[in-house]
Structure formats: C-alpha cells, structure tokens
Amino acid sequence: MKVIMHFELIKKYSRIVKIVFTILLVFVLLDLLFPLPGKKEFSKEIHAKDGTLLTAYLTNDDKWRLRTELDEVSPELIKAIIEKEDSWFYLHPGINPVSIVRAFYHNFTSGETQLGASTITMQVARMLEPKKRTYFNKLGEMFRAIQLEIKYSKEEILELYLSLLPFGGNIEGVKSASYIYFNRPPNKLSLAQSITLAVIPNDPNSLRLDRSNEEIIKNRDYWINKFKQEKIFSSSDLKDALDEPVEKNRYAIPVTAPHFSYYVKDNFSGDILKTTLDLSIQQTAENILLRNVRKNFYKGITNGAVLVIDNKNSSVVAYCGSADFYDESSFGQVNGITAIRSPGSTLKAALYAYAFDDGNLTPQMKLADIPTDFHGYQPENYDLKFYGNVSTEFALVNSLNIPAVKLLEQVGLNNFIVFLENSGFYQIQKQKSKLGLSMILGGCGTNLQELTRLFSAFTRKGKLYSLQFTSNDNEQEGEQIFSEASSYLTAQILSGINRNDIVNLSNYSKLPKFAWKTGTSYGKRDAWAIGFNPNYTIGVWMGNFNGVGSPNLSGAEAAVPLLFDLFNAIDYNSDVKWFEMPEEIYTREVCRESGMIPTQFCTNRVRDFAIVNQSSNEVCNIHKPVYVNLDESVQYCTGCLPSSDYKKAVYAVYQPELTVWLSKSSYDYQKPPPHNPNCTAKFAEGGPKILSPSEDYEYFLEKNSDQEILLLAASDSRVKTHYWYVNEKFIKKTKPGERVFFIPNEKELKITCLDDKGRDGSVKVSIKYY
C-alpha cells in the first residue's frame, strides 16, 4: 500500500517537474529567439572634477536622454516614483500577479481600460521596445520584464527606468528633466519638484512645464495629498510642498568650458565622463584670459588660449580654447589649444636640455652670437642685435637665435626631429622631410597642448606623461625624455629674472617662483609663454585666429603678462619648495671666457654646474702663450725667434669668425700683436697658408676621447688642390678652404700642406693629454 502511495506521489510530482521544465525550456528558447533589445543611446555628459555637469549633447535621435545613476537622484524623488508607480517593486519578479488580476477584473467589469498593471520593470520593457498597447503586447512586456529581472539587478532596472521616463518633447529621464525644467541636478530637487517630476510621465505631452502648469499643479497636489494620507512623507514637508509654486520654465543644458567639453566628447568613449577639470581654476583662467584679451584688443590682438596642467599627475585642470566661445567676430569657436601654429622660440628650452644631456653644454659654456651664414640661412635676433661671446645661460634666458640654430646644427637636426616625434609632436612628424634649421625659431607647426605637455616633463624629473583628461585615466609610466639633471638646469636658467621678457614685478605680491620660456612667430602672428613650477605647468597663446599679425604681438609683450597673472591667481602664495638639485649635478670652476676647464693660463674663472659622467671636460682653448718682443708689439714664431729681447705672453685667441666680429664691433680685448713682418720661414715662396692648426701651440685633449683637430689652409686663386700630410703620412686631398678633421695619435706632429704647384707649408704642434 505504501509503495503504491509513493509511486502515485512520484507520478504526481513528476508531472509538475515536467511542466516546470517545459516552461523553463520554452522560456530559454524564446529568450534565444527574442533577446532583449539593446539599451538606448544616452546623451554624452561631461562632468567637472567635483561632479558638476559641464555640458551634455543630444543623442543621434535628437533626445536629451541623460543616463541617471541612483546616487545622483534625491531619495524623495526615488521614493515618490516607486510609491506612485510600483510599491511592490523590490518584491516581485518583474510582474505583479495581484495587480494583473485586479486590473483585469476592474477593466472587465467597467467595460473599458481604466486600470493598468504595469510594474516598473514592464514599463522599462515598453520604453526599450515601444509598441501599441494591446493585450498581446502586454504579454510581450511581461516576458521582457522577466528577461530584465534575470539579466539586471533591481537597482540597474530602476536606473534604466529613471533614465528613460518621458517628460515631453525630446526630454527623457529625470536627470534631463531636472536640468531643463528646474536648472539643477536631480539630487538638489525639493520634495515638491520631485513629486512634480513623478507625475509628468503619466501624460508627458500635456503635462509640460515649458508650456502650462495648471494641470501639473492639479496632479501634483493630488499626489501630495495621497502621500499625506498614506504617510509616505512627513506632514510638514508635504504642507511646504503644497505651498511651493510651480514656475513655467525651460532652461538650457549647462555649457561650461565648451572647448574642453568638445575635446573630451570627441576623444573619449562613454556616456558619463568625469573629468579632471577644476571649475575654480577654470573660471579663474577664463576671467584672466578675457581680461587680458580685452586689454590688448585695441592693439590688434583679439584672442588667446590657456592650458593648465597639475604636475602631480599631469591632469588638465583648466582648458580655455579661446577668450569667448560665442564671439563669432573673433572666431571664438576655434580651439586655440589644438590649432596648429608656429611655436616661435619655445622649442629652444627642449633643445638646450637635449644638449645638456648630450654633453655638449653646461650653463657657463660660451656660444657665439654673431652674424652667421648657415648655408644661405642667416637668422637674426628678435631685437636685431648681436651679443658676441655669451654664456649658454644668457643665450637661453634671452632667447638668442644664432646660438640656438648653431646648437641645433651641432646636435643634429634629424636627431632633434626624432626626439620631438617621440615626444608626441605629430605635426612635426608630418613635416619632417621639409624641416630645416629654422624649425628651432618657429619654422614648424605644433600646438599649445603639445608644447605645454613637453614643458611639464621638466617638472616630473624629465619624464613625459600623457595628459589626463578624465578621472578614471590610469597614469601610465612616463617616458624619460630628459634627465633629471638637465631638467633642473633648464628650470634654474628659465626661472632667472635678469632677462628682457619680464613684467614689472612690483605689480604682484607673493608671486610664486616659476620658470618660463616665450616665443614669437615670424610676422608676429603668435605670442607664446610656457611656464612651470613644481605645482603647475601653464601654457599661454595670444594672437588672432584669422592669422593676421600685430606689431604688438610678441611673447614678452602679450603672453608673459597673462602668464604672470595666471600664476599669481592660481598658485598665489604657494608654499611648495622649488625643485631639489639632483645628485648627478655638481659645481666646478671654469674659465669665464670659454666656460671650459681652465688651464694655467686662465686667470678669470667662474663656478658652473655640470652633470656627472655627462658634461664635456674639454679644456679651454682660448688663452694661449705667444712669443712677443718686450713691448708686445711683434709676435714671433720659432722660425724667426730672436736670441734675446723676447718673452712669452698670454692672449685670448677666439675662433676666426668671432675674432672678426669682435674687431668690427670695436670690442675691447687684448689681441696678439702682428707676426714679425721680416719672418720668411712661414710664407716663403707663397705656398699654402695653414690656418689650422696654429703653429707653436699646445693642444690639450682628453684621453681616449677621439677628439679631432681641424686642418684648414688657404691659397691664391691659381691653386685648385691641396694635399695634407701628418708626420710625412698622406691624409687627404682637398680643395683650398675645405675643412679636414683628423684624430692625432702622436704627441709631436709635423703637419704639411702641399699645393698642386709643388709648394708647401708646414707647422709643428704638440699634443698633451689629461
């Protein structure tokens, strides 16, 4: 008997199991055949660092559909919507059987559809896949509701619901409605405003706050009283809500930092983008930029741009693409931060840092700022003056052009172009086959973003990092483009105040210390100033977007005052210490005239910075001993040296080009006297005149450095060919005036130059190694 009963139970429940299994199987098949429709496109939102909405953009179907997250919505609004629409939302599986039965009975007995049974989940299904309201489609909504409940959590479903609710016209979602109808985020709504938004979706095309509000007030007040009866909210709060007026309004979605917002929108994916923009710094930068542009407007300068980078993490905290985005007369919608312009002299800072790392320079090494012909290219300084024998420090801080071009030639044009390519200069990468030495003076294209990012590497120990625009950017490992030592040297030099591109410091109080480099493009079309300190790197451009120049448009006159105003406002009274000197830097004594290691003949010396195992240890080659008569009016060589009445005197012997310029400029320095006019040993029979190396001089070379000596000779116009010999060994055949370099391997050298007429000239030199 018991066996029979067990069998009957098994038989009974097996049918139930089969039915359940069949239902599940059918559901799975239907789910595979009819998957959930994809989510609708949401408006792209751009938020500031503090969460403030900067702006949002219409979807492709021209809707204001801002995705809403629960933590963005006031608890009162969520509570009002759930209590009004689906009080059992958190308990049912997507459909509410009790509501369905009640609605069916009521509608059947009344003979018309008066009561709905849609849960919030079913409403989401209908909003994702709108269809005509029929009983058959209602069954489809139920199926979709179960699919949604399986795939998403209750919180995710509620977020979808809040994001898709219709509010009339092209407004969808409570966040969109909150900004457009009340000009505030949904977490700042009052209780009355929350209940108002809860009632509009029932008839969104009639209950529109931008058209009328009588029906809205009527519906709002009905639900306020209903909530009061059901004790959903406190009586006092609901009383205040009844008294709150409803205003007829339609506000525009905020538009703050438009150039920044457009840039982020076009370059980053996602519908809610939380950025690094600091609203306080942004608004300060905008105000200062606009004030400076207005101040210079009468000078023919109509626009400007500012980029501010926080050096802690290379995040963009202010981004002003123009002085006024809505100023059509000045082309305000052009983004001056990404616009390709000539950089003027701004790249010189990178070139000098590159040369410091290359071992070519130290701050006190001398460079010749004299008229120079670079294969037909003859640059001039901005002030049309030349300064002669200047230190590297002076040349950089005063932005002298000839030393920079000569330095670029020395380090190698192609080497520097590759360096800039690797540092993210994309326009230079495109132009590289057309670039020449003039690029260091602005003969290339770049933009404010690339330049400011490059300068920020000086603040981060020589490492170049990608700029961070969004808060969820993971900072990548920086690329070491400069050494920490060269970055420090560059910062020290460019922070100097003894320069021509400086403002009246008495106009500023508690101005933070910072370094800066200016630039002015050819034709005075662009004025640049890039400044940096441990806190911020600030890039500034001033000019006209139509490309018209102005005689007042220079880095020093137009851009530097703006840069100083920005640092004074953004980093006012900063207590952050200046960059610490790296361990790789040491100080040494050098010759003041050459900036090189002094010899016993260098009496005027100065302290200089150098980089361990990097900076050149070349010995000074300017101060040289010469045989002269007792009153130093005649110079002797070993061939004409008298037996008495002579002495050795030390003179500064500069490179020939600099010597000529110094003489023409009436520069007062002690020159060697003319050679003995009666000497015949050197110039007998009119043979080649050896210009380099100089006779009877000692050369100090670094051991194992492969340093070379220049061979250079001149002849009259009848001579076509020179033949060079060192210690009777043939070196090379050249044309007169052609330069030849060789590496000496003996201490005593006899150098001979033979011309094609059979005449020769010889000199003897000594090599000493250190």
Side-chain angles (χ1 to χ4, degrees):
M1 187 67 177
K2 290 183 178 180
V3 173
I4 294 172
M5 290 178 63
H6 282 304
F7 178 77
E8 289 295 329
L9 285 171
I10 293 171
K11 190 175 180 182
K12 177 183 177 181
Y13 285 112
S14 66
R15 280 200 205 100
I16 296 173
V17 170
K18 287 179 182 178
I19 292 170
V20 171
F21 180 77
T22 302
I23 293 172
L24 289 175
L25 182 61
V26 170
F27 182 85
V28 170
L29 288 173
L30 288 173
D31 185 54
L32 291 173
L33 290 171
F34 304 101
L36 277 171
K39 291 182 181 179
K40 289 188 176 182
E41 176 197 6
F42 291 109
S43 297
K44 183 169 276 194
E45 305 170 40
I46 315 296
H47 292 260
K49 184 180 179 180
D50 63 359
T52 302
L53 179 67
L54 296 176
T55 194
Y57 299 92
L58 287 167
T59 60
N60 289 326
D61 58 350
D62 292 324
K63 300 287 187 182
W64 289 115
R65 189 185 296 122
L66 277 62
R67 182 163 68 86
T68 307
E69 296 176 339
L70 292 182
D71 59 3
E72 297 178 289
V73 184
S74 67
E76 290 81 5
L77 177 54
I78 294 174
K79 190 174 183 179
I81 286 176
I82 291 177
E83 290 296 332
K84 176 180 175 295
E85 295 294 330
D86 187 1
S87 59
W88 294 86
F89 171 69
Y90 285 106
L91 300 175
H92 63 64
I95 58 176
N96 188 338
V98 175
S99 297
I100 292 173
V101 171
R102 185 177 67 244
F104 179 79
Y105 175 78
H106 181 86
N107 295 337
F108 179 78
T109 54
S110 65
E112 57 183 7
T113 303
Q114 294 180 343
L115 192 64
S118 293
T119 62
I120 283 177
T121 314
M122 290 171 65
Q123 291 182 57
V124 170
R126 185 167 61 247
M127 289 186 286
L128 287 174
E129 198 174 27
K131 290 181 180 179
K132 187 177 179 180
R133 294 194 179 189
T134 65
Y135 284 110
F136 178 77
N137 288 338
K138 181 66 73 174
L139 291 173
E141 286 177 16
M142 294 179 187
F143 170 69
R144 292 297 193 201
I146 295 172
Q147 284 181 302
L148 286 167
E149 292 281 348
I150 292 173
K151 186 172 182 179
Y152 299 110
S153 67
K154 287 289 187 180
E155 288 71 21
E156 290 173 319
I157 292 171
L158 186 57
E159 285 183 346
L160 265 176
Y161 182 72
L162 295 174
S163 302
L164 297 175
L165 277 174
F167 285 92
N170 66 342
I171 306 170
E172 293 185 8
V174 296
K175 189 193 290 186
S176 306
S178 182
Y179 278 107
I180 293 173
Y181 288 147
F182 298 115
N183 196 31
R184 66 188 65 190
N187 61 349
K188 300 294 184 183
L189 295 172
S190 67
L191 179 58
Q193 292 168 336
S194 297
I195 296 173
T196 301
L197 290 188
V199 303
I200 291 177
N202 292 122
D203 191 2
N205 290 321
S206 299
L207 304 177
R208 290 182 57 170
L209 278 172
D210 57 347
R211 292 183 180 175
S212 62
N213 55 21
E214 291 178 2
E215 280 298 313
I216 294 177
I217 294 174
K218 181 180 176 182
N219 279 268
R220 183 202 70 170
D221 291 351
Y222 168 81
W223 280 100
I224 289 176
N225 288 319
K226 190 173 179 62
F227 289 151
K228 186 176 181 181
Q229 292 172 7
E230 297 176 0
K231 298 181 179 180
I232 304 300
F233 300 100
S234 71
S235 297
S236 59
D237 289 344
L238 290 170
K239 183 178 182 303
D240 292 338
L242 275 174
D243 295 335
E244 186 174 316
V246 176
E247 297 180 359
K248 177 183 174 182
N249 276 317
R250 182 181 176 114
Y251 297 93
I253 290 289
V255 181
T256 307
H259 282 115
F260 175 80
S261 297
Y262 272 115
Y263 181 87
V264 172
K265 167 183 171 284
D266 293 339
N267 291 277
F268 295 87
S269 60
D271 46 51
I272 298 181
L273 294 170
K274 298 177 180 178
T275 72
T276 59
L277 196 80
D278 187 310
L279 265 184
S280 175
I281 296 178
Q282 174 71 18
Q283 290 164 358
T284 298
E286 287 178 356
N287 293 336
I288 292 174
L289 173 60
L290 184 60
R291 184 172 71 237
N292 274 264
V293 167
R294 286 175 175 170
K295 187 167 59 178
N296 287 282
F297 196 85
Y298 76 97
K299 298 178 182 179
I301 303 170
T302 61
N303 235 310
V306 171
L307 179 63
V308 183
I309 299 171
D310 186 334
N311 294 328
K312 289 192 297 294
N313 53 14
S314 295
S315 60
V316 174
V317 293
Y319 189 107
C320 309
S322 67
D324 183 354
F325 184 82
Y326 299 102
D327 184 359
E328 294 183 3
S329 63
S330 297
F331 307 97
Q333 294 190 11
V334 174
N335 188 345
I337 292 176
T338 57
I340 301 299
R341 315 289 298 189
S342 163
S345 296
T346 53
L347 289 174
K348 288 176 183 173
L351 174 64
Y352 279 78
Y354 184 90
F356 287 145
D357 282 330
D358 213 30
N360 291 301
L361 286 181
T362 60
Q364 292 303 321
M365 279 189 181
K366 298 297 183 179
L367 302 171
D369 180 42
I370 58 177
T372 306
D373 188 328
F374 296 94
H375 311 292
Y377 175 49
Q378 298 177 333
E380 295 178 320
N381 287 322
Y382 179 79
D383 59 5
L384 303 180
K385 297 178 181 178
F386 296 98
Y387 294 87
N389 196 38
V390 299
S391 69
T392 296
E393 182 178 30
F394 183 90
L396 175 56
V397 80
N398 289 287
S399 196
L400 301 183
N401 288 340
I402 289 83
V405 175
K406 195 173 295 184
L407 183 60
L408 179 58
E409 185 180 51
Q410 181 181 345
V411 303
L413 173 64
N414 289 333
N415 292 337
F416 192 61
I417 289 175
V418 170
F419 164 79
L420 292 175
E421 280 186 87
N422 295 334
S423 300
F425 283 73
Y426 297 110
Q427 186 65 21
I428 286 177
Q429 184 179 27
K430 294 177 183 178
Q431 298 174 323
K432 62 181 178 181
S433 62
K434 302 176 182 178
L435 297 178
L437 294 175
S438 64
M439 70 165 294
I440 199 60
L441 307 184
C444 59
T446 183
N447 60 43
L448 185 61
Q449 187 164 309
E450 292 175 347
L451 284 171
T452 310
R453 175 176 174 246
L454 177 71
F455 274 71
S456 70
F458 293 128
T459 73
R460 305 199 69 182
K461 300 182 178 181
K463 282 191 173 184
L464 184 66
Y465 291 83
S466 297
L467 296 184
Q468 290 193 24
F469 286 86
T470 61
S471 57
N472 56 357
D473 280 352
N474 294 320
E475 187 175 57
Q476 300 175 352
E477 184 65 25
E479 181 184 355
Q480 195 79 50
I481 61 169
F482 305 118
S483 69
E484 184 180 355
S486 67
S487 298
Y488 176 82
L489 293 178
T490 306
Q492 281 294 97
I493 292 172
L494 291 178
S495 64
I497 59 174
N498 294 321
R499 54 201 292 177
N500 52 27
D501 60 348
I502 193 168
V503 298
N504 185 354
L505 295 178
S506 63
N507 294 331
Y508 301 91
S509 64
K510 298 182 179 180
L511 182 72
K513 181 179 180 179
F514 62 92
W516 75 96
K517 181 72 190 73
T518 59
T520 305
S521 68
Y522 179 77
K524 294 191 172 183
R525 293 182 175 89
D526 305 275
W528 304 86
I530 318 290
F532 60 92
N533 69 5
N535 287 336
Y536 298 103
T537 301
I538 302 178
V540 163
W541 172 85
M542 293 281 281
N544 301 302
F545 287 135
N546 60 8
V548 174
S550 166
N552 300 292
L553 194 55
S554 70
E557 187 176 349
V560 167
L562 172 57
L563 181 69
F564 270 67
D565 288 350
L566 288 165
F567 265 108
N568 192 56
I570 294 171
D571 203 27
Y572 178 77
N573 199 23
S574 172
D575 57 356
V576 174
K577 296 180 180 179
W578 190 244
F579 305 104
E580 292 185 4
M581 188 171 75
E583 295 179 357
E584 294 79 14
I585 291 181
Y586 67 100
T587 59
R588 66 185 185 186
E589 194 175 60
V590 296
C591 172
R592 183 182 289 275
E593 293 297 318
S594 66
M596 300 178 184
I597 302 297
T599 67
Q600 68 268 33
F601 307 118
C602 302
T603 56
N604 194 1
R605 304 182 181 189
V606 67
R607 303 296 299 179
D608 189 18
F609 288 115
I611 305 175
V612 175
N613 298 326
Q614 198 71 43
S615 298
S616 170
N617 290 317
E618 187 176 353
V619 173
C620 176
N621 57 3
I622 289 179
H623 297 98
K624 301 176 180 178
V626 176
Y627 292 112
V628 295
N629 61 3
L630 296 180
D631 62 2
E632 300 188 22
S633 59
V634 176
Q635 179 184 166
Y636 298 117
C637 66
T638 55
C640 63
L641 186 65
S643 58
S644 61
D645 297 328
Y646 71 90
K647 65 179 182 179
K648 265 188 178 182
V650 176
Y651 295 91
V653 180
Y654 297 104
Q655 55 181 299
E657 300 91 339
L658 180 58
T659 300
V660 172
W661 184 85
L662 292 173
S663 298
K664 288 182 178 179
S665 303
S666 302
Y667 188 81
D668 186 23
Y669 75 101
Q670 191 175 13
K671 308 177 187 66
H675 196 82
N676 180 9
N678 298 320
C679 177
T680 58
K682 188 175 181 181
F683 306 108
E685 300 179 4
K689 179 182 179 182
I690 297 177
L691 302 178
S692 178
S694 301
E695 187 179 16
D696 295 332
Y697 288 127
E698 294 177 332
Y699 285 79
F700 291 84
L701 305 181
E702 186 178 358
K703 289 181 180 178
N704 302 318
S705 64
D706 291 335
Q707 288 178 276
E708 299 174 314
I709 290 179
L710 169 67
L711 303 180
L712 181 65
S715 292
D716 62 39
S717 59
R718 294 172 297 176
V719 176
K720 304 299 182 184
T721 308
H722 283 168
Y723 303 88
W724 287 96
Y725 294 83
V726 176
N727 288 344
E728 310 302 328
K729 181 181 178 181
F730 177 72
I731 298 296
K732 193 171 184 179
K733 172 184 173 181
T734 68
K735 294 178 181 180
E738 184 178 347
R739 293 168 176 252
V740 178
F741 293 90
F742 81 103
I743 300 174
N745 50 24
E746 297 179 62
K747 291 185 178 181
E748 299 296 328
L749 303 176
K750 179 183 178 183
I751 298 173
T752 302
C753 183
L754 180 70
D755 66 20
D756 52 14
K757 306 298 182 183
R759 300 170 298 183
D760 67 85
S762 297
V763 296
K764 291 183 178 180
V765 297
S766 297
I767 307 296
K768 288 189 176 181
Y769 296 95
Y770 63 93

